[in-house]
Amino acid sequence: GQNIDQPTEMTATEGAIVQINCTYQTSGFNGLFWYQQHAGEAPTFLSYNVLDGLEEKGRFSSFLSRSKGYSYLLLKELQMKDSASYLCAFMDSNYQLIWGAGTKLIIKP
Amino acid sequence: GAVVSQHPSWVICKSGTSVKIECRSLDFQATTMFWYRQFPKQSLMLMATSNEGSKATYEQGVEKDKFLINHASLTLSTLTVTSAHPEDSSFYICSARAGTGGWEEQFFGPGTRLTVL
């Protein structure tokens, strides 16, 4: 079967670093996505990993380990505007996105 | 990135009426469009996948006669919620993809918030 799991909520301090983990199980895999979603808005694309390793993009980095079915999103130098839900999703063998429930990130001053 | 628009942004309707939501890809041709529903504090739930010129593929548990999807052109897909009821109140989001396979980024519309009284 297929499933994907991420923490429901995390809290971090402005200026700090936070890592949001995502684990998944699937027989067919075509990459893992991270999206950011502010309340009441549609998701916006952050990153895509299909090979193992770390992809860095400014303050955000995403890591993938296909053998472990594991990914994380690393956010550095946190800003108040980073308060949002972060959704991980993997693309299955049918190129369909399977979504996690999202991690609500709360940034405190 | 590519732009996807949705109209209306929000709609309030009476129970029993039908509501049509439009999803447009503004600067690219979308061979595939997806319709999602998101209830408060929950993740995106895929309702259906539509390819231009063919019938939509509905996810298990989604009534195709209630949620009518039309993807008549490469830039427009519509979702009609027929005989809407309060339990249909939700945030409906469409996304569009240019390619037919492989990794193609999905571009999301801004969403439509439907409230059924």
Side-chain angles (χ1 to χ4, degrees), chain B:
Chain B
V3 179
V4 175
S5 70
Q6 268 184 254
H7 178 81
S9 301
W10 56 271
V11 58
I12 301 173
C13 69
K14 292 182 179 179
S15 185
T17 60
S18 294
V19 175
K20 179 185 281 188
I21 302 170
E22 293 186 349
C23 177
R24 293 181 184 271
S25 57
L26 299 185
D27 51 3
F28 69 102
Q29 293 186 325
T31 52
T32 307
M33 285 186 169
F34 304 86
W35 286 96
Y36 293 88
R37 182 167 52 183
Q38 186 175 36
F39 292 105
K41 299 184 180 181
Q42 295 186 23
S43 189
L44 297 172
M45 292 174 53
L46 180 65
M47 298 176 67
T49 302
S50 73
N51 293 299
E52 185 265 339
S54 60
K55 290 183 178 181
T57 302
Y58 290 81
E59 295 300 302
Q60 192 172 11
V62 178
E63 300 174 57
K64 61 180 181 181
D65 294 330
K66 180 173 180 63
F67 298 98
L68 302 178
I69 292 172
N70 184 282
H71 192 167
S73 77
L74 285 171
T75 59
L76 173 65
S77 177
T78 60
L79 168 68
T80 301
V81 184
T82 61
S83 187
H85 291 286
E87 57 265 30
D88 298 323
S89 298
S90 187
F91 192 44
Y92 291 86
I93 307 173
C94 74
S95 69
R97 190 173 74 188
T100 56
W103 174 66
E104 292 280 352
E105 181 181 343
Q106 288 187 29
F107 299 96
F108 285 86
T112 297
R113 187 160 301 282
L114 170 63
T115 301
V116 183
L117 302 177

